[in-house]
Amino acid sequence: MLVLAGCTGGSDTDGDTTGRPDAGGDVFPSSQVDPLVAALPHESVGTVPTMRLADGLVPPTNTWFSGLVFGDEPTPVFPFPISFQLTQAGFAAGLPVPVASEKAIVSPALPDVTLDVQASATEISAYDDVSVTIAHLDGDAVLGHTTVAEGSPVVSYTAATAQTDTLGTAVTTVGDGRGTFTVGSTTWGVAVTDGSLDGTAVRLDEGGSVVLVPLPDGATDEQVRTVLDAAASPLTSVTTAHRASGSGSSAVSTTELGYETAAGGDTLLVPAPHMGDAATGGGTGLGYDTIYGTVPLSIGSTLAFDAPVTTASTGLDLSGLSDDQRAQLEDQVQVDVARTAETPVDTYYGGKALYRSAMLLQLARQLGDDASAETLRTSVVDRLDRWTDPSGCETRVQECFVYDPAVKGVVGKAASFGSDEFNDHYFHYGYFLYAAGVVAADDPELAERWRPVMDLLAADIASGADNGSFPDRRAFDPYWSHSWASGYSPFADGNNQESSSEAVNAYAGLSLWAAATGDDALGDEASWMLSGEASSALAYWLAPDLTGPTSAGYGHAIVSLTWGGKRDYGTWFSAEPSAIAGIQLIPLSPTSVSYLTSSAGGGARQIARVVDEASASGFDRPLGDYVLMYSALEGPDQAAAALTALADLPETGIDDGNSRAYAMAYVMTAGAR
């Protein structure tokens, strides 16, 4: 059965109710979250930004189009394969041209085509998981609406009143209401419904529309007509649905995106590379060159694609270890328990500390070390009791959460890495959810005790019921099957994600928390997001296809920062190759083994390429312990070498979210596979 993925509803300034179809309706409905939100202190920890947003809409942080919403001025966005930006009087769109260098593949936004509708202001009037609609205003009056969407090369403008708008370039007519014009190296097509074209003038009746689309290189006159006919009806919205099927190693998670137009029927579609042959309609024989290679232009109404199901795991499989290995682990667990230091008070490092202890606890349980297990359990429970006190921020300024009523979300009072600007929430909260899911897996009383706040952390990143307190699936983008990290996205290159592995960890933690609390609806959604994120982590970060001509000149095995408009080899925090690879591996949870060793991960050859590049200066570098652990997945010989190298790694070489015991266990179990 398909589960509809949901929406944040709202209302347009002209009174039309807008929003997304319900997303299953039972993933944190209002009846569940409203009393939980009411129990938290309400406070905006960070400065509330300017928002260009219609009344009633939940602020869409962490989306591909957040740059249109937040900040004093809107920034360009990238509804693949085109770029789009708001201008003072209308909008500009372009077909970015990919350029590769040794450390980046870039395609900046281009203002190839402009449409002046004589607006004085804009605001987001509706959005869903994949598309966004902008109202162009003259004072309080709505002049018209523009809709753009990922996977669609068209820009659709529909007039709310009879008007004459101005294109930046004169059109050569090729038929009734059809035309073309060329800017630079790109020819654009224009299709007008209920109106007319004359040079740069676009005359529209009330309800009339103009649709703009870049024409792929080499299109024949017949193909141009086909493309313009398919593009003519304005795009209005995109629905999202997901389902799981199969079992065991053949289980798949299916995503289905439905592109809706004003007239119904087919439109132009561009599947992302990880989707394969996703379009349900027919191909055009045309395509666009992008930073991800050449992508096909199709005609249809649906993109449907699969990802292998990734299943969250609470612990490593120690069954293949020898008695000597188990004894080594027992000794190291005791050493690491003694080394557990005072825990940090912000949500990122505090969450990592909880995750570290939970992994040690699971190891101690599996090894039968009851004393260490009890020490660790007491520590984790005490810390989570503190973090999950709903009124904690009424008496302290750290290790507690508040609800931001302006931006609509849960924020740790002690902010880090811009979490007060809604950056990285899923990274941070994933560690909490993973730890709580492990510790409460067999303790319903603990799960119930932590639930009022832990459910809010889960709702912050995974709501799916249009509850009004949170956006649905705050960061997860079902078109790309991955998340976006920046809350407000104040960048000319669009939004970005760096740590694909912490994104996987977030939805694995969400899945474990759903299992601990018996929340089947949340579990289904978490499994879909986890499976998509794991698939995209390989496709775009850790094992990307860089063989095409648009990648020629890029000189690395991985991509470590994926943006709307570029792909980077670098990080926000370090230029060290170990960090650039390590941020795609951290924290190497038990869940990571299945997707990192799948055929889509490139196998031993790709692992060796990544490790060789990342460890050129040794493993005692930032996040080098994760690179060392990853090397063990290459095969038994590499696992044996990694275990030896791990013994020589100084304590300063172990990340604060990791422990030597867990690293040893990961390497040993990799060698025993």
Side-chain angles (χ1 to χ4, degrees), residues 278-656:
T280 57
T284 64
L286 302 169
Y288 298 106
D289 289 337
T290 76
I291 57 175
Y292 297 99
T294 301
V295 293
L297 176 64
S298 300
I299 296 174
S301 61
T302 304
L303 293 174
F305 52 97
D306 296 336
V309 168
T310 297
T311 302
S313 175
T314 58
L316 299 167
D317 180 6
L318 306 186
S319 61
L321 302 191
S322 68
D323 290 343
D324 285 347
Q325 287 176 319
R326 294 176 71 91
Q328 288 178 344
L329 286 180
E330 288 175 23
D331 290 343
Q332 189 60 49
V333 165
Q334 292 172 14
V335 171
D336 287 335
V337 170
R339 282 179 174 158
T340 300
E342 192 70 23
T343 56
V345 299
D346 68 280
T347 51
Y348 182 67
Y349 291 109
K352 284 178 71 177
L354 285 164
Y355 169 86
R356 175 187 182 275
S357 292
M359 291 298 96
L360 278 173
L361 168 59
Q362 192 72 332
L363 273 179
R365 286 172 169 172
Q366 291 174 285
L367 295 167
D369 183 350
D370 295 338
S372 293
E374 183 57 31
T375 297
L376 289 161
R377 184 184 183 281
T378 298
S379 173
V380 174
V381 169
D382 286 349
R383 283 180 277 159
L384 276 173
D385 279 346
R386 184 172 175 85
W387 276 104
T388 58
D389 175 6
S391 60
C393 286
E394 294 176 358
T395 58
R396 58 182 182 271
V397 295
Q398 58 192 35
E399 296 175 282
C400 61
F401 295 97
V402 299
Y403 178 78
D404 186 328
V407 191
K408 304 288 188 182
V410 175
V411 182
K413 191 63 179 289
S416 56
F417 298 102
S419 59
D420 55 334
E421 299 175 0
F422 285 76
N423 295 348
D424 301 351
H425 278 201
Y426 58 114
F427 294 159
H428 296 206
Y429 300 165
Y431 285 113
F432 282 84
L433 291 161
Y434 214 116
V438 167
V439 177
D442 57 358
D443 194 331
E445 183 180 340
L446 270 184
E448 197 62 26
R449 191 161 87 212
W450 294 337
R451 196 165 185 175
V453 170
M454 293 303 300
D455 269 1
L456 285 176
L457 300 189
D460 186 83
I461 64 173
S463 282
D466 191 16
N467 55 48
S469 294
F470 303 94
D472 287 351
R473 290 166 304 282
R474 182 181 299 281
F476 186 72
D477 183 332
Y479 176 80
W480 286 110
S481 299
H482 70 68
S483 301
W484 298 107
S486 176
Y488 304 150
S489 189
F491 308 109
D493 291 309
N495 214 323
N496 72 91
Q497 177 163 271
E498 180 179 61
S499 184
S500 62
S501 53
E502 286 180 303
V504 171
N505 189 66
Y507 303 125
L510 190 69
S511 186
L512 295 178
W513 178 247
T517 56
D519 190 334
D520 293 339
L522 178 61
D524 288 345
E525 183 167 85
S527 176
W528 168 55
M529 293 193 291
L530 168 60
S531 301
E533 197 80 53
S535 176
S536 69
L538 299 177
Y540 298 120
W541 280 266
L542 207 50
D545 181 359
L546 298 167
T547 59
T550 63
S551 301
Y554 183 79
H556 300 280
I558 65 171
V559 173
S560 55
L561 256 172
T562 291
W563 298 76
K566 68 178 177 179
R567 309 172 78 185
D568 268 348
Y569 182 77
T571 75
W572 286 103
F573 61 95
S574 174
E576 289 276 4
S578 60
I580 292 170
I583 201 62
Q584 306 310 322
L585 304 171
I586 183 174
L588 283 177
S589 75
T591 303
S592 70
V593 178
S594 63
Y595 84 91
L596 291 179
T597 56
S598 70
S599 58
R605 181 181 178 185
Q606 178 65 6
I607 294 172
R609 290 183 67 214
V610 174
V611 172
D612 287 349
E613 183 174 60
S615 63
S617 299
F619 295 105
D620 187 15
R621 293 289 188 274
L623 304 186
D625 51 335
Y626 296 112
V627 177
L628 182 55
M629 294 161 65
Y630 178 60
S631 73
L633 299 177
E634 190 180 343
D637 291 344
Q638 290 75 19
L643 196 60
T644 299
L646 186 59
D648 295 332
L649 197 65
E651 193 60 27
T652 54
I654 304 294
D655 182 59
D656 52 8

Side-chain angles (χ1 to χ4, degrees), residues 46-141:
T47 301
V48 177
T50 299
M51 290 187 266
R52 289 167 290 279
L53 195 65
D55 291 344
L57 287 180
V58 175
T61 71
N62 301 86
T63 66
W64 65 269
F65 61 86
S66 292
L68 299 178
V69 181
F70 301 101
D72 293 338
E73 297 292 336
T75 56
V77 297
F78 295 83
F80 188 78
I82 63 173
S83 64
F84 177 84
Q85 50 199 308
L86 295 174
T87 63
Q88 184 64 39
F91 64 78
L95 182 65
V97 178
V99 178
S101 64
E102 196 266 334
K103 287 193 173 184
I105 308 169
V106 303
S107 58
L110 295 175
D112 285 346
V113 53
T114 61
L115 185 69
D116 182 343
V117 302
Q118 301 181 58
S120 60
T122 59
E123 67 180 13
I124 304 306
S125 59
Y127 67 86
D128 53 51
D129 287 312
V130 177
S131 75
V132 60
T133 297
I134 303 103
H136 301 270
L137 310 174
D138 181 13
D140 293 331

